[in-house]
Amino acid sequence: MSKDTAKDTEFRPKARKPRGLRDQFAGDVLARRHALDVIRGVYESYGFEPLETSAFEYADALGKFLPDADRPNAGVFALQDDDEQWLALRYDLTAPLARLAAEHFDALPKPFRRYQFGPVWRNEKPGPGRFREFFQFDVDTVGAASMAADAELCMVLADALEALGIARGHYRVRVNNRKILTGVLETIGADDAHTRLIILRAIDKLDRLGMEGVRLLLGPGREDESGDFTKGANLAPERIARVTGFLAAGDADRAKVCATLRALAGASAIGLEGVAELEEIDALLNAGGFGPDQVVFDPSVVRGLDYYTGPVIEAELTFEVHDETGRKVQFGSVAGGGRYDDLVQRFRGVLVPATGVSIGVDRLLAALRLLQGDKAAPAPKGPVVVLMLDKTRGADYQAMVMELRRAGVRAELYLGGSGMRAQVKYADKRNAPVAVIAGGDEFAAGEVTLKDLVLGDQLSKDIKDNAAWREDQPAQQSVPRANLVAAVRDILAREHHRG
């Protein structure tokens, strides 16, 4: 076999990314960084501190994903380490926090208040807008039973959304309490676990099926468009009315919602406890100046029915925008959470109160892009680019770029092998504000030529006569070599002022 034939048959892997994952370039990365900095500033203003946990956890620490088969990979990405213990990439940021709080419980300040940003992974079928890796930004308080911790989460979410430029009226933080739902189920006599499960599953479909669909599932059942029939809970009409009355009790007047829920809870001790907790949250929100245009009580919020133990919180975006195809889009929920007093108890055997919320960063950024357009993710500014026109003068070019860097100017030396025209095009692609040009004439005269690429681009749209452009060259100037830094700074300052 000839060498050429061997090369032709050499294995070459196909350049492809795994399904459900993404590559993100500078614009998206910088937009995310900006949003994170804004949110981080709000979290820190409330006294929360950063935490980082491992991407991998032992699989038995992931709660509902406890291994019950030879390979515990339902919903998570799992592998065995060298001592045959199962590890899994974290499914969210809350389970690692519960593990850390239990592991370091005696050493941690209590309450322990932390925020954390990072990727999480879910082994689920990917689809449009649904990825196997995505980012969350959590804020939690562990060790505080007071409703002040839950009220604070409502406040921090509202403040974070507004700091990102989402005006009141374009978002809503919705709050409910799991205990009240438990109390309502007690009042209708839904005592057996099977009936409760059917009811909870019906309630969980409210967003998708609407109140009428839930009513059918609470009663005899529902037939979908395909003809498939789902058996219902077979509740009597008065019991269905009590459940749907609970779900429909939301109102802009938080005190009115509490009064309605108190009547629905009847004599249920746990239900009345949940109402009292909402009333306490309402008083704290009022004291903090957070009105119903920011936070509302909405019993239809039923997230994580098997996960949360008290107040549940969801932040949704209410504005409508148009996507790239002109179709109306409403983003809905971008953050959620609540009280999870049982998670740390799994490790320690004693009750450790905890509450937290998680912002879905990818979904929030997608909404900001459509709401704010280019302002949400402007093209990242590139560095000043020093062109290398004479390879024998490499040390001189290197000196220029280092002078700029030491003066606090982001600068790059062109390292390719192309000529001047291609180098200027490269600087344009890098979104460079200035190109520094020095050839034989400039070195002989002790000068450098500075090309204001931003101004040049703006003026080129207005000047149609090439002769006039060559004669005027308003975006290009020659300055003494010793004035390089000062002249570049002047151009950058003008661009900053322009805007």
Side-chain angles (χ1 to χ4, degrees):
M1 181 183 294
S2 69
K3 291 183 179 180
D4 290 340
T5 303
K7 288 181 180 179
D8 290 340
T9 60
E10 181 182 349
F11 171 74
R12 292 184 180 86
K14 183 178 180 181
R16 69 199 191 283
K17 66 178 180 294
R19 290 174 59 242
L21 304 181
R22 290 172 294 172
D23 298 317
Q24 294 189 301
F25 292 95
D28 290 331
V29 173
L30 292 176
R32 184 175 67 211
R33 182 190 298 175
H34 169 72
L36 294 177
D37 287 343
V38 171
I39 298 169
R40 184 181 294 111
V42 174
Y43 285 176
E44 291 184 350
S45 75
Y46 277 70
F48 292 93
E49 295 186 340
L51 175 73
E52 291 186 2
T53 57
S54 168
F56 276 98
E57 293 285 335
Y58 285 112
D60 60 7
L62 295 180
K64 63 180 179 176
F65 294 103
L66 289 172
D68 56 3
D70 291 338
R71 183 172 177 82
N73 61 349
V76 299
F77 291 98
L79 56 86
Q80 276 184 302
D81 64 10
D82 54 6
D83 61 358
E84 298 186 350
Q85 296 195 68
W86 282 101
L87 301 174
L89 283 171
R90 62 192 181 201
Y91 182 86
D92 61 16
L93 299 178
T94 308
L97 171 64
R99 184 268 307 158
L100 179 139
E103 187 177 4
H104 302 279
F105 190 79
D106 293 333
L108 292 176
K110 285 170 280 293
F112 177 56
R113 297 159 60 80
R114 79 89 166 94
Y115 68 81
Q116 183 175 356
F117 165 76
V120 297
W121 296 267
R122 298 187 182 179
N123 189 5
E124 299 170 345
K125 184 178 180 180
R130 186 181 183 90
F131 299 97
R132 287 172 164 169
E133 179 188 52
F134 52 95
F135 291 86
Q136 293 182 335
F137 203 168
D138 288 19
V139 59
D140 294 75
T141 298
V142 178
S146 168
M147 289 298 104
D150 302 85
E152 188 176 62
L153 294 177
C154 301
M155 299 175 191
V156 79
L157 277 180
D159 281 348
L161 293 174
E162 291 186 18
L164 288 167
I166 301 173
R168 296 181 192 182
H170 284 174
Y171 76 88
R172 180 171 52 192
V173 179
R174 303 159 62 212
V175 187
N176 188 19
N177 195 310
R178 268 297 314 276
K179 294 177 181 178
I180 305 173
L181 175 58
T182 300
V184 170
L185 295 183
E186 283 186 358
T187 66
I188 66 173
D191 298 324
D192 67 282
H194 179 67
T195 300
R196 284 196 175 212
L197 181 60
I198 295 174
I199 295 171
L200 294 178
R201 285 176 174 170
I203 292 173
D204 212 19
K205 294 181 173 64
L206 177 63
D207 287 344
R208 184 164 61 87
L209 301 180
M211 193 66 77
E212 183 56 32
V214 172
R215 189 176 285 110
L216 290 171
L217 290 175
L218 294 173
R222 175 182 178 273
E223 184 177 299
D224 63 21
E225 296 175 354
S226 69
D228 289 340
F229 182 79
T230 302
K231 187 178 179 181
N234 282 313
L235 299 182
E238 62 273 14
R239 299 168 79 191
I240 294 174
R242 200 168 189 85
V243 175
T244 56
F246 165 78
L247 296 175
D251 192 89
D253 185 337
R254 295 192 295 249
K256 179 181 176 182
V257 176
C258 290
T260 302
L261 294 177
R262 184 170 288 279
L264 288 168
S268 168
I270 190 169
L272 293 174
E273 181 182 328
V275 175
E277 290 176 351
L278 280 189
E279 290 171 337
E280 184 179 351
I281 291 172
D282 182 40
L284 293 164
L285 291 171
N286 289 332
F290 288 80
D293 57 345
Q294 297 168 288
V295 185
V296 297
F297 290 166
D298 185 350
S300 69
V301 178
V302 289
R303 29 182 322 115
L305 291 168
D306 296 323
Y307 186 85
Y308 296 107
T309 60
V312 287
I313 302 166
E314 191 168 273
E316 68 173 7
L317 303 183
T318 58
F319 59 86
E320 279 190 349
V321 293
H322 294 84
D323 63 15
E324 298 82 358
T325 66
R327 181 171 52 92
K328 281 187 177 181
V329 176
Q330 189 166 341
F331 277 86
S333 176
V334 293
R339 182 160 287 276
Y340 51 94
D341 290 343
D342 293 342
L343 284 192
V344 182
Q345 184 177 19
R346 289 183 55 246
F347 297 94
R348 293 186 58 84
V350 294
L351 185 67
V352 178
T355 187
V357 290
S358 176
I359 293 178
V361 176
D362 304 276
R363 188 170 181 80
L364 179 58
L365 287 177
L368 287 173
R369 279 193 294 271
L370 289 179
L371 176 66
Q372 301 173 356
D374 292 338
K375 292 185 293 183
K381 287 293 183 185
V384 171
V385 175
V386 177
L387 308 190
M388 185 180 288
L389 304 182
D390 182 349
K391 289 184 171 54
T392 67
R393 306 296 294 260
D396 295 302
Y397 296 121
Q398 186 67 62
M400 293 179 199
V401 80
M402 290 308 302
E403 281 182 36
L404 291 167
R405 290 170 181 165
R406 288 173 179 145
V409 176
R410 187 175 173 221
E412 170 188 341
L413 178 61
Y414 177 77
L415 301 176
S418 300
M420 177 176 172
R421 185 185 295 272
Q423 291 189 41
V424 173
K425 285 185 177 180
Y426 169 83
D428 275 330
K429 282 188 175 182
R430 294 283 283 121
N431 202 25
V434 181
V436 179
I437 302 169
D441 292 342
E442 284 85 3
F443 281 118
E447 296 179 340
V448 292
T449 297
L450 304 180
K451 188 173 181 66
D452 185 336
L453 297 172
V454 177
L455 179 60
D457 180 62
Q458 293 172 350
L459 294 177
S460 67
K461 297 172 183 175
D462 300 323
I463 298 178
K464 306 300 181 184
D465 189 295
N466 288 337
W469 174 256
R470 286 193 299 270
E471 181 181 340
D472 197 14
Q473 288 291 356
Q476 193 163 299
Q477 60 177 302
S478 293
V479 300
R481 167 67 180 82
N483 293 349
L484 169 65
V485 171
V488 168
R489 279 178 164 169
D490 285 344
I491 294 174
L492 296 178
R494 289 197 301 270
E495 289 177 1
H496 179 73
H497 180 71
R498 289 195 298 263

